[in-house]
Amino acid sequence: MQNKLNFIDILGQNPDSRRKEDPSSFEYTLPAEITNIYQLTTNEKLYQIQIIDPGQRNRFSFRPGQFVMLELPGIGEAPFSISSSPVRRGDLELCIRAVGNLTNFLARLERGARVGISGPFGTSFPLEKMQGQDILLIGGGLGIVPLRSPLLSVLENRSKYGRVDIMYGAKSPAELLFTYQYEEWRRFDINLGITVDRADTSWQGRTGLITELLQERISQATSLRENTYAIVCGPPVMFHFVCKMLTEAGLPMQKMFVSLERRMHCGRGKCCRCNIGSTYTCLDGPVFDYWSVMNLKEAI
Amino acid sequence: MIFKVFKKQELARLYELLAVNIIVGPVAKGNDRNGKPLFDFDVVYDFNDLALDYTQTVHSPKRFVLPYHETLSTFAVARDGWEKHVDLNVYRSLVFFGMHACDINALNKLDLVLAQSAYPNPYYMGKRKNLFIIGLDCTPEPQCFCRSMGTDSAIHGFDLFLTDLGGTYFAEILSATAFDLLNQINCKDPSAKDLRLYKQATSEKNKHYTASVETSDLTKILDLEFESPAWDDWGKKCLSCGTCANVCPTCYCYGVEEHVDLDLKHAGKTRSLHSCNLIDFAKVAGNHNFRPTSASRLKYRYYHKHRGFVEAFEESLCVGCGRCGSACLADITPPEVIASVRGRE
Ligand SMILES: Cc1cc2nc3c(=O)[nH]c(=O)nc-3n(C[C@H](O)[C@H](O)[C@H](O)COP(=O)(O)OP(=O)(O)OC[C@H]3O[C@@H](n4cnc5c(N)ncnc54)[C@H](O)[C@@H]3O)c2cc1C
Ligand code: SF4
Ligand code: SF4
Ligand code: FES
């Protein structure tokens, strides 16, 4: 009997061996509050979310392109791109389309509701490297959401960047996001090109595919210069055509950035749901340069 | 490493010394339809229940460190907010009594991603760190290709490893705990004869390998053969049932579900092992599926194990136990799949 107990003690002697791992790095979510909700379109809302504890709020910093996992107890957890400026730290804006369990439940919540936030996770757009250079931001549909954070960052330091172009396409005028900000963006000397697939009677702007906007930009006298960076976000088909056009226009693949979407259940390289070959979208992405993904099977 | 030899009957004493912990070992579970005995790892309460001469267990002991279903957290929900509780579900030390080398190596591989990479998984690590492992040498079965995968012997990841030398066990001691434990039974240093018998046992074991996989340049060949028609042929046979992942000692992909209790005051979050062969594995919002066909999913399983994991961790995520092939209703085995993709050079 003495011996048996002894064995347990031996295990116990190593303080590590019986320690329960600190779960803070894994299941810990920061309690946060929805402070404001704006209905952007019928399906998308912009949620302003504030981390409740002031200390945690201040410590929470992120880089444009990163995402958070948002959790509603009993409902689910899913990844969302941070759509606000990194200057705002623990005061986040998430633009979310109601598509499933979690997002539809979220759409029914009101101001003051509690959510759990973990992160930030993933890679970001290399905004420092982009300084002094021209920037092309190309977004399709919900793809404008991850573009907004780097865009706001550029606007805050407008003088540090060269020419800035945004090309944004949506299915219909009613589905355009952030319409209320277009005028402000233009004031910062930004070339804003908007196109919709299908116009309605009120639509004064252009109709057509985003590739047509890009084609115009490429064929301009001030075509893509040596020092241009592109950021592309949108549905998989869009990546394919846009990146091909940019490559043909002479933009090196390592100066083109894409943000990929995959199913994610952990955001921490463990569940494998976001895995593409040897690459985890949650750890190695969601922001990749085009060189890294163009050879990745099934990536886009 | 320290080596000792002890008489076979001493093993029961070793068991008794460890029995204050939960002991998990191979037990006989019945026979298959051809009368062949079936074994599995389970909790053991009596030394005599251990089937130490087992061939291979149907499932690996994975579920004791990585349960098929596990509660990650619970929530207490109130009108004005909620509180989250996390329990790592580690209560007692476990002893794995009689693990074959491939299963030890499988745990070592799981460690690479679950314990040693960024964001270690604390649920896994808590269980893994409170584990005492006794390895046991085996006789290869027809489906075993562990030699091709370099996992036919275990170099680390156990406390004690036993090789049957007839009347005695040859013991490799890797941990201080195991050393102290062996001091409490009758054992001695190996003699020249023991060493000879040990080397004989090794070469005898090697004679039994029948299955093999050619792994040279496999990562590159898989890359080059991404569009190989062989995948479609296997895809036509595959039932997308996920049994292969279920029995595999190294498959760890999972999904998370949350639920609300009927009283609406409590909620919970559960992790369940998933399989990349199941249809919804890579489905994202808007019902877009990155791997809609059974061929693309089956291919992905091979790509993750033999290419992606190799690129990330310098070794394959397969230990060559052959369980997936034995359990597959469509008779899809890794040696055949890989040979067909390589073009049977
Ligand atoms: C890096 C990244 C950034 C994203 N940013 C945004 C954003 O800014 N705005 C936005 O509206 N959407 C974004 N998405 C997509 C968003 O995560 C999914 O649409 C969302 O998970 C759907 O959740 P649901 O519970 O409503 O859907 P359901 O289909 O009901 O999903 C059920 C469960 O499956 C999982 N799941 C389903 N689809 C996805 C998916 N595509 N990705 C990850 N997990 C999934 C979730 O864990 C969820 O709990 C992003 C996805 C990724 C990978
Ligand atoms: S390979 Fe076999 S076991 Fe695996 S999913 Fe296909 S049919 Fe099922
Ligand atoms: S893939 Fe098959 S052979 Fe390889 S470790 Fe898993 S079950 Fe064993
Ligand atoms: S989301 Fe789990 S591995 Fe990337």
Side-chain angles (χ1 to χ4, degrees):
Chain A
M1 196 60 204
Q2 186 56 36
N3 285 335
K4 291 179 187 173
L5 287 174
N6 202 14
F7 171 63
I8 279 261
D9 279 342
I10 293 167
L11 266 187
Q13 265 174 20
N14 177 354
D16 264 1
S17 71
R18 293 191 68 80
R19 202 184 73 205
K20 292 192 170 187
E21 280 306 308
D22 172 18
S24 61
S25 64
F26 215 78
E27 266 308 310
Y28 189 70
T29 46
L30 299 168
E33 182 182 332
I34 299 180
T35 49
N36 257 318
I37 304 173
Y38 302 96
Q39 185 89 41
L40 296 187
T41 70
T42 32
N43 280 327
E44 283 107 12
K45 287 182 177 182
L46 185 72
Y47 300 85
Q48 286 182 335
I49 291 170
Q50 185 175 66
I51 292 167
I52 293 171
D53 180 79
Q56 289 175 338
R57 193 187 318 149
N58 267 324
R59 280 194 299 278
F60 188 97
S61 65
F62 66 93
R63 298 186 307 277
Q66 288 191 296
F67 66 93
V68 290
M69 297 294 281
L70 183 140
E71 178 167 44
L72 288 174
I75 308 297
E77 188 174 16
F80 298 100
S81 307
I82 307 175
S83 195
S84 45
S85 150
V87 178
R88 305 213 4 217
R89 298 173 80 92
D91 245 324
L92 311 170
E93 283 178 355
L94 307 179
C95 174
I96 296 175
R97 175 180 290 177
V99 290
N101 292 345
L102 173 81
T103 46
N104 277 313
F105 192 91
L106 196 66
R108 290 202 298 272
L109 292 182
E110 290 171 6
R111 256 163 72 159
R114 295 284 166 97
V115 298
I117 293 282
S118 53
F121 295 114
T123 51
S124 56
F125 301 108
L127 284 171
E128 287 87 51
K129 275 204 222 156
M130 293 181 179
Q131 289 188 3
Q133 313 245 339
D134 288 356
I135 297 179
L136 281 177
L137 298 159
I138 304 170
L142 209 52
I144 190 81
V145 175
L147 288 188
R148 187 164 166 259
S149 184
L151 171 65
L152 293 175
S153 217
V154 167
L155 298 188
E156 275 149 17
N157 303 286
R158 183 65 189 90
S159 59
K160 292 193 182 143
Y161 298 89
R163 172 176 175 159
V164 179
D165 283 88
I166 307 176
M167 288 160 213
Y168 172 38
K171 283 210 192 83
S172 69
E175 285 171 57
L176 287 171
L177 295 168
F178 306 117
T179 43
Y180 60 97
Q181 296 201 314
Y182 297 166
E183 275 320 302
E184 191 190 335
W185 294 350
R186 284 205 179 92
R187 276 205 297 281
F188 279 100
D189 183 24
I190 301 242
N191 301 298
L192 184 64
I194 308 266
T195 181
V196 295
D197 291 357
R198 278 175 284 82
D200 56 23
T201 45
S202 67
W203 182 244
Q204 310 281 311
R206 28 182 322 150
T207 48
L209 294 175
I210 194 145
T211 39
E212 293 165 19
L213 273 179
L214 181 60
Q215 192 52 55
E216 275 172 31
R217 173 69 183 83
I218 288 172
S219 50
Q220 276 172 20
T222 54
S223 187
L224 304 187
R225 292 185 298 145
E226 273 283 284
N227 51 351
T228 301
Y229 270 96
I231 299 182
V232 186
C233 294
V237 275
M238 199 194 93
F239 287 121
H240 185 74
F241 288 108
V242 168
C243 293
K244 195 164 157 246
M245 276 175 77
L246 288 170
T247 313
E248 278 162 11
L251 195 66
M253 286 187 273
Q254 64 275 24
K255 295 186 86 176
M256 235 184 272
F257 288 83
V258 298
S259 177
L260 298 189
E261 188 179 325
R262 278 296 180 284
R263 201 176 178 108
M264 292 188 182
H265 281 226
C266 73
R268 296 157 175 87
K270 296 289 172 278
C271 70
C272 274
R273 302 303 287 266
C274 72
N275 192 262
I276 317 171
S278 55
T279 301
Y280 292 96
T281 314
C282 61
L283 296 179
D284 306 313
V287 174
F288 293 95
D289 66 22
Y290 185 52
W291 167 254
S292 313
V293 287
M294 104 174 152
N295 281 320
L296 214 57
K297 315 287 186 198
E298 297 178 348
I300 5 191
Chain B
M1 201 175 300
I2 295 178
F3 303 99
K4 293 277 181 196
V5 181
F6 59 83
K7 290 226 169 66
K8 271 192 164 170
Q9 58 265 35
E10 289 294 308
L11 195 63
R13 284 205 54 208
L14 196 70
Y15 177 95
E16 287 309 319
L17 291 170
L18 287 163
V20 71
N21 305 287
I22 300 171
I23 297 191
V24 170
V27 291
K29 288 276 181 181
N31 298 312
D32 72 5
R33 62 195 139 98
N34 302 320
K36 216 178 123 216
L38 293 170
F39 300 97
D40 212 350
F41 270 90
D42 213 337
V43 177
V44 178
Y45 299 97
D46 185 338
F47 178 74
N48 295 314
D49 290 344
L50 281 173
L52 291 174
D53 56 349
Y54 75 109
T55 48
Q56 184 175 59
T57 52
V58 174
H59 298 89
S60 82
K62 171 177 81 174
R63 72 179 164 105
F64 293 95
V65 283
L66 199 64
Y68 287 108
H69 301 282
E70 183 172 28
T71 301
L72 297 180
S73 55
T74 50
F75 302 89
V77 189
R79 193 160 271 283
D80 55 346
W82 44 269
E83 228 176 288
K84 185 170 181 172
H85 302 285
V86 174
D87 185 337
L88 299 182
N89 317 317
V90 188
Y91 307 110
R92 301 271 305 271
S93 309
L94 277 187
V95 176
F96 282 175
F97 207 108
M99 272 182 107
H100 288 167
C102 58
D103 285 341
I104 294 175
N105 282 310
L107 279 186
N108 291 340
K109 287 178 194 290
L110 287 179
D111 283 355
L112 293 176
V113 55
L114 297 177
Q116 289 161 23
S117 61
Y119 305 106
N121 179 336
Y123 300 86
Y124 173 82
M125 283 175 74
K127 295 173 192 61
R128 184 72 168 101
K129 280 191 172 177
N130 291 302
L131 202 56
F132 185 86
I133 294 178
I134 301 178
L136 185 66
D137 208 24
C138 59
T139 304
E141 286 285 287
Q143 72 272 20
C144 299
F145 58 98
C146 51
R147 239 190 145 196
S148 311
M149 307 314 297
T151 50
D152 49 334
S153 72
I155 299 164
H156 62 102
F158 56 86
D159 295 86
L160 190 64
F161 198 97
L162 308 176
T163 305
D164 190 339
L165 300 186
T168 55
Y169 281 116
F170 185 89
E172 302 165 48
I173 303 168
L174 219 56
S175 76
T177 313
F179 183 75
D180 291 347
L181 212 59
L182 280 197
N183 270 337
Q184 297 175 52
I185 65 168
N186 287 321
C187 62
K188 58 182 181 66
D189 293 333
S191 64
K193 182 182 165 220
D194 294 324
L195 183 57
R196 205 175 58 241
L197 286 174
Y198 176 73
K199 288 192 285 191
Q200 242 173 40
T202 308
S203 52
E204 185 58 34
K205 174 180 174 180
N206 287 345
K207 283 188 204 144
H208 282 86
Y209 286 109
T210 49
S212 72
V213 161
E214 178 54 61
T215 57
S216 25
D217 282 333
L218 187 55
T219 52
K220 289 170 214 168
I221 289 169
L222 283 176
D223 206 11
L224 291 164
E225 293 292 356
F226 195 79
E227 309 294 347
S228 165
W231 296 117
D232 297 323
D233 297 342
W234 292 113
K236 281 189 201 117
K237 294 182 86 181
C238 175
L239 308 165
S240 293
C241 64
T243 304
C244 43
N246 185 293
V247 298
C248 177
T250 58
C251 276
Y252 60 87
C253 299
Y254 68 78
V256 175
E257 300 91 44
E258 309 212 8
H259 68 270
V260 183
D261 288 0
L262 284 177
D263 64 2
L264 301 182
K265 289 189 181 120
H266 298 92
K269 183 173 179 182
T270 319
R271 177 189 59 72
S272 302
L273 288 187
H274 208 285
S275 163
C276 54
N277 279 104
L278 299 181
I279 190 157
D280 64 334
F281 188 80
K283 200 152 107 182
V284 297
N287 272 337
H288 180 73
N289 196 337
F290 281 94
R291 293 180 211 109
T293 62
S294 63
S296 63
R297 291 190 295 274
L298 177 105
K299 173 163 74 177
Y300 174 76
R301 186 161 182 272
Y302 282 84
Y303 267 75
H304 184 208
K305 293 216 173 265
H306 296 280
R307 176 162 186 265
F309 200 83
V310 186
E311 285 177 338
F313 299 104
E314 312 272 328
E315 55 180 84
S316 157
L317 185 64
C318 169
V319 294
C321 66
R323 281 187 179 100
C324 55
S326 309
C328 177
L329 290 170
D331 287 329
I332 301 175
T333 69
E336 281 196 76
V337 171
I338 292 173
S340 73
V341 174
R342 294 187 76 108
R344 297 184 197 277
E345 316 100 291

